Amino acid sequence: MEAADYEVLSVREQLFHNRVRECIISVLLFATLYILCHIFLTRFKRPAEFTTVDDEDATVNKIALELCTFTLAVALGAVLLLPFSIISNEVLLSLPQNYYIQWLNGSLIHGLWNLVFLFSNLSLIFLMPFAYFFTESEGFAGSRKGVLGRVYETVVMLILLTLLVLGIVWVASAIVDNNKASRESLYDFWEYYLPYLYSCISFLGVLLLLVCTPLGLARMFSVTGKLLVKPRLLEDLEEQLNCSAFEEAALTRRLCNPTSCWLPLDMELLHRQVLALQTQRVLLEKRWKASAWQRNLGYPLAMLCLLVLTGLSVLLVAIHILELLIDETAMPRGIQDASLGQVSFSKLGSFGAIIQVVLIFYLMVSSVVGFYSSPLFWSLRPRWHDTAMTQIIGNCVCLLVLSSALPVFSRTLGLTRFDLLGDFGRFNWLGNFYIVFLYNAAFAGLTTLCLVKTFTAAVRAELIRAFGLDRLPLPVSGFPRASRKNQHQ
């Protein structure tokens, strides 16, 4: 063989080894996410649904739980996708010739983006509908009972749902773009239909993030206040402990002497209330035993960090709005070749990249908090060891929609300059200037409005409670005034 043939063989062998290495890394990453999500879901599932007398129902719920675990792992991977890419670029930029990070390259990052896109489509369009119909199915009438009968019914329902969604997408395509070529492109199921359908789902996810994130940014202050110990000026734990002890003693007395009251008592309800009060009293005692550093330093620092992160997010969005007006490169776009390690995606270098990653995680957490705080999705909130299987499926679908829209959401708001890779950048609405500009303006306006309203109301209420003005018979702003009839009496 000639030298050229040996060179071609060595290049092919190197490419093969690179592909194998990327596959192993991807499998290890996904396996780690899958294990973490499985442990997380087992903490919320209802044990009675998996230990029923009917082995068929238990088997169906176990299969549905594994599908939900897969979907939640994909959602977590979508959340980590953009931060991992930004950090990888900075690492390659700082250590370009390091032997131990040669496995970290643009091909691996691009492959991870494509895998997340593929698994997101698979989960949203097939796995989650299959899991829901599978748990609700009972088998066709006249057929043999068993898991296989439920599978047949679920497959039929899934085919009918696919035809229905295909028809809806076809009609939507005809309304939006009445072009023969665009409608014929939908015949290509893999190259056009799935990306177009996922583009619609991603657009809905971005709109959902637009609503939930400002609400969550405002709610983060109250949620953090409940988790941390407040200074004594803002919280009287001794009074709360005394009230909890008195309520627990009163309910315990009712449980011990149920015949002393002439009203019929619900003993099970009273028992649950006593357990809840005992749990609350234990938490209050732990908060009471907190050190002075935790009380006087932890809470102010946490509030200051939240305020800085929220203000920085609004500031970056405002700067991005100005950039959209004067610079065309500020528009989000997609690229097919991930050339990492050449230039930093932040003007502040590695420090700016770390800020971008922190802001992306912060906005994702805020969006989840705002999602579960919304009255529309309040019923979906999972409960510890008491979440039904259908509710777990609904939560996994919603979290996947939010997380898969996070890269597009972050790039649209200008939180990072890292361009969207793979099919994430093929969404048609990303190139519309008016949609991107109005989206940024709406996010900045809604976030500012929610923060001003929530922060001023919370500070006013805390100061009133701290000085004891809420217990005085005075008409204080923010509290209901007494009626004239009661005043005369």
Side-chain angles (χ1 to χ4, degrees):
M1 297 179 64
E2 298 180 357
D5 296 333
Y6 282 111
E7 185 177 355
V8 171
L9 288 176
S10 63
V11 170
R12 290 180 179 179
E13 185 178 357
Q14 183 65 32
L15 289 175
F16 173 76
H17 289 302
N18 291 338
R19 296 300 181 186
V20 172
R21 182 178 59 196
E22 292 172 7
C23 291
I24 293 175
I25 294 173
S26 302
V27 170
L28 290 176
L29 290 175
F30 186 78
T32 304
L33 297 179
Y34 188 89
I35 293 172
L36 293 176
C37 293
H38 183 77
I39 296 173
F40 180 76
L41 285 181
T42 53
R43 297 295 184 270
F44 288 95
K45 70 178 183 179
R46 185 177 295 171
E49 293 183 348
F50 296 86
T51 57
T52 58
V53 179
D54 190 357
D55 293 337
E56 181 182 334
D57 291 336
T59 303
V60 169
N61 289 328
K62 289 178 182 178
I63 295 174
L65 183 66
E66 296 302 322
L67 296 178
C68 291
T69 304
F70 179 87
T71 302
L72 192 60
V74 175
L76 185 57
V79 172
L80 299 174
L81 195 59
L82 190 56
F84 182 73
S85 302
I86 296 173
I87 293 174
S88 300
N89 180 72
E90 296 300 323
V91 170
L92 290 175
L93 192 63
S94 303
L95 304 170
Q97 303 298 330
N98 195 316
Y99 174 77
Y100 296 101
I101 60 171
Q102 293 300 315
W103 57 271
L104 193 61
N105 50 39
S107 177
L108 173 64
I109 302 300
H110 192 272
L112 291 176
W113 280 72
N114 287 333
L115 285 177
V116 170
F117 183 83
L118 172 63
F119 290 156
S120 299
N121 278 287
L122 183 65
S123 299
L124 285 175
I125 300 174
F126 296 107
L127 296 185
M128 285 296 95
F130 180 87
Y132 177 76
F133 290 135
F134 195 41
T135 55
E136 296 295 324
S137 64
E138 296 180 356
F140 290 112
S143 61
R144 295 182 58 184
K145 297 296 182 181
V147 178
L148 194 58
R150 290 190 174 190
V151 171
Y152 291 152
E153 181 183 355
T154 304
V155 170
V156 172
M157 292 295 298
L158 197 59
I159 293 174
L160 295 177
L161 179 64
T162 303
L163 294 177
L164 177 63
V165 174
L166 179 62
I168 293 175
V169 172
W170 189 277
V171 173
S173 175
I175 293 175
V176 175
D177 189 7
N178 191 11
N179 188 2
K180 183 178 180 181
S182 64
R183 291 196 301 271
E184 288 181 353
S185 64
L186 292 178
Y187 285 116
D188 195 337
F189 186 81
W190 185 258
E191 289 293 331
Y192 292 96
Y193 175 72
L194 284 182
Y196 183 82
L197 180 59
Y198 190 76
S199 175
C200 298
I201 296 174
S202 178
F203 185 70
L204 293 177
V206 171
L207 292 180
L208 189 60
L209 285 173
L210 177 62
V211 176
C212 295
T213 306
L215 179 61
L217 289 173
R219 286 280 299 168
M220 285 292 289
F221 293 92
S222 59
V223 171
T224 306
K226 293 178 181 179
L227 297 176
L228 298 178
V229 182
K230 298 180 182 179
R232 295 186 185 275
L233 176 65
L234 302 178
E235 186 178 36
D236 191 356
L237 286 176
E238 185 176 0
E239 182 181 356
Q240 296 181 21
L241 276 170
N242 292 333
C243 293
S244 179
F246 289 150
E247 291 179 6
E248 183 181 350
L251 291 177
T252 305
R253 195 160 44 247
R254 286 186 181 182
L255 282 174
C256 295
N257 300 315
T259 58
S260 62
C261 184
W262 58 276
L263 292 175
L265 298 178
D266 189 351
M267 304 303 294
E268 184 178 355
L269 178 61
L270 287 176
H271 186 66
R272 288 200 301 267
Q273 290 177 353
V274 170
L275 291 178
L277 285 173
Q278 289 176 352
T279 305
Q280 181 183 1
R281 181 171 53 81
V282 171
L283 294 176
L284 288 174
E285 289 176 353
K286 290 181 180 180
R287 292 164 66 90
W288 175 258
K289 296 177 182 178
S291 63
W293 289 99
Q294 290 177 317
R295 186 184 302 277
N296 299 320
L297 189 61
Y299 180 80
L301 283 179
M303 292 294 110
L304 182 61
C305 290
L306 291 179
L307 189 61
V308 169
L309 290 175
T310 305
L312 189 59
S313 302
V314 178
L315 179 62
L316 289 177
V317 174
I319 294 174
H320 187 243
I321 291 175
L322 297 178
E323 291 179 345
L324 287 173
L325 296 175
I326 60 178
D327 189 5
E328 294 182 356
T329 60
M331 288 288 294
R333 63 190 182 93
I335 57 176
Q336 296 299 324
D337 185 18
S339 55
L340 299 180
Q342 297 182 0
V343 63
S344 178
F345 293 101
S346 174
K347 296 180 180 179
L348 300 178
S350 300
F351 179 73
I354 294 175
I355 294 178
Q356 291 178 3
V357 171
V358 172
L359 287 178
I360 291 172
F361 282 127
Y362 176 63
L363 290 182
M364 184 61 201
V365 173
S366 301
S367 65
V368 174
V369 172
F371 175 79
Y372 287 114
S373 301
S374 175
L376 296 176
F377 306 103
W378 181 272
S379 59
L380 277 178
R381 181 179 294 184
R383 294 180 297 273
W384 193 262
H385 290 301
D386 192 27
T387 307
M389 195 64 239
T390 54
Q391 194 174 354
I392 292 177
I393 295 173
N395 278 277
C396 290
V397 170
C398 294
L399 290 177
L400 181 57
V401 171
L402 289 175
S403 60
S404 60
L406 182 64
V408 183
F409 173 76
S410 303
R411 184 62 184 91
T412 304
L413 293 180
L415 300 178
T416 179
R417 287 287 186 173
F418 193 92
D419 291 316
L420 302 172
L421 296 178
D423 291 322
F424 280 93
R426 293 177 57 185
F427 303 149
N428 297 328
W429 57 271
L430 286 176
N432 193 315
F433 170 78
Y434 298 101
I435 293 178
V436 175
F437 179 79
L438 291 176
Y439 189 87
N440 282 263
F443 178 83
L446 288 174
T447 303
T448 305
L449 180 63
C450 291
L451 285 176
V452 170
K453 182 178 178 181
T454 304
F455 187 73
T456 55
V459 170
R460 185 171 64 251
E462 291 291 350
L463 290 177
I464 289 173
R465 293 189 184 94
F467 289 104
L469 297 179
D470 57 327
R471 294 188 291 271
L472 295 178
L474 296 175
V476 182
S477 176
F479 291 90
R481 294 175 178 267
S483 63
R484 292 185 177 181
K485 183 178 178 180
N486 294 333
Q487 290 177 359
H488 289 301
Q489 290 177 353

